[in-house]
């Protein structure tokens, strides 16, 4: 399993596009064989191909609202299988970047007419009436407003990557599109149209998974399974801000703001919204007005953030960064469908 480039939670470095095409194919096949039970490399490659073709079709139709709406109304295009295919195309791009992951989230940049609003509409249409608003989600809550929601689409046993069975998706205030693959969905089994035994079991499975991922229990789970050959399954690319970054940011704010109340407010803001917000908070402070120690604290913090910002630049992602999520170029750009600029 050591051949598979699956980064750890705390890995801040970013592997640039250096693999030749055949090596990327080997990485994808290894990812499929080791982490995707029930999906053969041949099936995976076919789904990736269909997903890339679908992505191009979405981009082509996005400039014309009537054409895009017609596409959404076509069950041959918007169906559960199509959602799986597009997710596989995104996963393949993550592997190309050296960002293969077994658990975590992706943040897709948007550009031009294919907005996050239209991507949301596409995934909802793929559910064919079975996409549902998510309640009590702990992911990216800080970006939810009174008019924004998160959606869930359950695709159990349909071949999602890394043995996942549901997609959590939501458009973000910065225009990016958030996607998270999960082991179990959270369907509102108490509502009309969702009141089935299958949905109740899915909801119960999600509740159990949530309990298992609470910090104390997750540590126990890791310890028990640490000698397993399947230990890479515990690796993740979550949107959480790494602990070390939060620790260093708190020290930086303490050094840069003598007023403890202001320092605490700035720290909590950065901790809540993540890497991009931390960068903005640092940039807002005039370096010329800082003493030596505050200046050095600011410089040290910027060096901690640089790998994440470079990762976004290399992948041609356009949008904000919260933590260690996988950052992907907008659909249809050179960075997504071909080798990116060096």
């Amino acid at each position: 399993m050591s051949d598979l480039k699956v980064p750890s939670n705390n890995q801040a470095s970013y592997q640039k596009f250096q693999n030749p095409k055949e090596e990327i194919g080997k990485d994808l096949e290894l990812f499929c064989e080791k982490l995707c039970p029930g999906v053969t490399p041949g099936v995976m490659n076919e789904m990736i191909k269909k997903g890339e073709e679908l992505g191009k079709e979405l981009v082509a139709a996005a400039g014309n609202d009537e054409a895009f709406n017609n596409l959404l109304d076509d069950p041959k295009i918007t169906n559960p299988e199509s959602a799986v295919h597009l997710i596989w195309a995104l996963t393949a791009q993550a592997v190309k970047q050296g960002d293969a992951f077994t658990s975590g989230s992706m943040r897709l940049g948007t550009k031009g007419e294919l907005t996050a609003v239209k991507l949301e509409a596409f995934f909802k249409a793929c559910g064919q009436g079975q996409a549902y608003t998510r309640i009590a989600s702990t992911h990216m809550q800080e970006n939810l407003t009174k008019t924004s929601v998160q959606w869930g689409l359950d695709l159990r046993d349909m071949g999602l990557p890394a043995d996942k069975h549901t997609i959590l998706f939501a458009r973000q205030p910065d225009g990016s599109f958030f996607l998270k693959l999960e082991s179990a969905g959270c369907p509102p089994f108490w509502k009309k149209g969702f009141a089935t035994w299958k949905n109740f079991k899915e909801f119960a499975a999600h509740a159990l998974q949530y309990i298992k991922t609470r910090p104390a229990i997750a540590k126990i789970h890791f310890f028990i399974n640490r000698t397993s050959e399947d230990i890479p399954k515990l690796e993740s690319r979550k949107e959480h801000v790494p602990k070390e970054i939060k620790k260093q940011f708190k020290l930086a704010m303490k050094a840069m703001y003598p007023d403890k109340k202001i320092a605490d407010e700035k720290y909590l803001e950065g901790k809540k919204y993540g890497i991009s917000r931390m960068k903005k908070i640092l940039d807002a402070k005039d370096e010329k007005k800082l003493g030596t120690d505050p200046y050095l604290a600011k410089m040290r913090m910027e060096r901690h953030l640089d790998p994440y910002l470079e990762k976004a630049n290399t992948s041609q992602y356009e949008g904000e960064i919260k933590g260690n999520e996988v950052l992907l170029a907008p659909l249809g750009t050179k960075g997504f469908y071909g080798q990116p600029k060096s």
Side-chain angles (χ1 to χ4, degrees), residues 65-287:
D65 288 342
E66 183 179 357
F68 194 80
N69 289 334
N70 288 338
L71 182 150
L72 295 183
D73 290 336
D74 187 348
K76 293 180 181 178
I77 297 176
T78 49
N79 52 59
E81 289 81 8
S82 291
V84 175
H85 297 161
L86 189 58
I87 289 294
W88 263 108
L90 298 176
T91 300
Q93 180 65 18
V95 173
K96 290 177 185 178
Q97 298 178 184
D99 285 337
F101 67 100
T102 56
S103 178
S105 55
M106 296 181 280
R107 203 151 175 184
L108 180 64
T110 59
K111 188 176 183 178
E113 299 293 339
L114 187 57
T115 62
V117 173
K118 288 183 176 177
L119 283 169
E120 181 185 72
F122 166 75
F123 278 101
K124 284 170 61 179
C126 284
Q128 297 181 337
Q130 290 301 299
Y132 53 87
T133 55
R134 279 284 297 267
I135 61 170
S137 173
T138 59
H139 306 286
M140 303 293 279
Q141 281 185 332
E142 69 281 354
N143 287 335
L144 292 179
T145 66
K146 291 181 179 180
T147 58
S148 63
V149 296
Q150 293 181 337
W151 293 86
L153 177 57
D154 297 336
L155 301 166
R156 180 160 290 279
D157 301 323
M158 291 191 65
L160 281 172
D163 199 27
K164 294 299 186 285
H165 300 286
T166 188
I167 307 171
L168 172 69
F169 60 95
R171 47 191 167 93
Q172 301 300 298
D174 69 326
S176 64
F177 193 63
F178 176 74
L179 289 153
K180 187 176 190 311
L181 303 184
E182 298 185 325
S183 297
C186 198
F189 66 89
W190 55 90
K191 288 186 178 181
K192 185 178 180 181
F194 292 91
T196 66
W197 176 242
K198 177 182 176 181
N199 281 339
F200 173 76
K201 289 194 296 181
E202 194 72 22
F203 185 94
H206 184 91
L208 180 60
Q209 188 66 27
Y210 174 81
I211 293 171
K212 285 173 63 178
T213 56
R214 294 309 85 203
I217 296 176
K219 289 178 181 178
I220 296 171
H221 185 254
F222 179 86
F223 180 79
I224 291 172
N225 292 278
R226 64 183 302 173
T227 58
S228 169
E229 293 180 359
D230 294 330
I231 198 153
K233 289 187 177 181
L234 297 176
E235 300 290 4
S236 62
R237 290 297 303 273
K238 297 183 179 180
E239 72 281 1
H240 306 312
V241 182
K243 291 181 181 179
E244 182 61 23
I245 294 294
K246 289 187 285 189
K247 176 183 176 182
Q248 294 299 325
F249 187 69
K250 189 170 188 177
L251 292 173
M253 294 300 98
K254 184 178 179 180
M256 292 171 62
Y257 291 93
D259 187 319
K260 184 178 183 301
K261 182 179 179 181
I262 296 177
D264 288 345
E265 287 175 352
K266 297 292 184 182
Y267 165 69
L268 291 174
E269 180 183 349
K271 176 185 175 182
K272 180 179 181 180
Y273 292 98
I275 303 296
S276 293
R277 184 63 62 88
M278 289 178 178
K279 176 64 173 158
K280 288 181 180 179
I281 292 171
L282 291 173
D283 289 345
K285 197 72 170 177
D286 188 349
E287 295 177 1

